[in-house]
């Protein structure tokens, strides 16, 4: 039988909330909304597991280093 959802669509449903929030923060940063990106990253850091915190901190560090140039 044919699957109800394509594998690409089903992959979206398997994504962890931290992945979605990291993508959103990076999109905000790309659009120039650095404060919005930082807010999302700080939310991830306060609510996520160790891996999520590590990933969010890395993105936040990159934002901070880019902003200081």
């Amino acid at each position: 039988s044919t699957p109800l959802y394509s594998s690409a669509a089903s992959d979206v449903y398997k994504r962890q909330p931290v992945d979605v929030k990291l993508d959103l923060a990076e999109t905000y940063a790309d659009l120039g909304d650095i404060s919005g990106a930082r807010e999302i990253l700080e939310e991830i850091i306060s609510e996520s597991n160790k891996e999520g915190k590590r990933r969010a901190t890395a993105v936040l560090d990159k934002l901070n280093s880019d902003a200081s140039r």
Side-chain angles (χ1 to χ4, degrees):
S1 85
T2 305
L4 185 58
Y5 301 103
S6 72
S7 67
S10 65
D11 287 348
V12 170
Y13 295 110
K14 294 177 188 172
R15 294 184 70 197
Q16 298 298 314
V18 69
D19 296 326
V20 174
K21 287 182 177 182
L22 282 169
D23 286 347
L24 183 60
E26 290 175 345
T27 300
Y28 274 39
D30 290 344
L31 295 172
D33 185 356
I34 303 304
S35 65
R38 281 191 178 111
E39 187 175 317
I40 294 168
L41 292 166
E42 288 167 0
E43 180 180 316
I44 295 169
I45 291 167
S46 71
E47 297 175 356
S48 189
N49 63 20
K50 187 176 182 177
E51 176 63 13
K53 289 179 187 196
R54 184 194 63 75
R55 293 170 60 200
T57 300
V59 175
L60 188 57
D61 289 347
K62 183 177 182 331
L63 276 181
N64 290 336
S65 70
D66 289 350
S68 67
R69 289 183 187 175

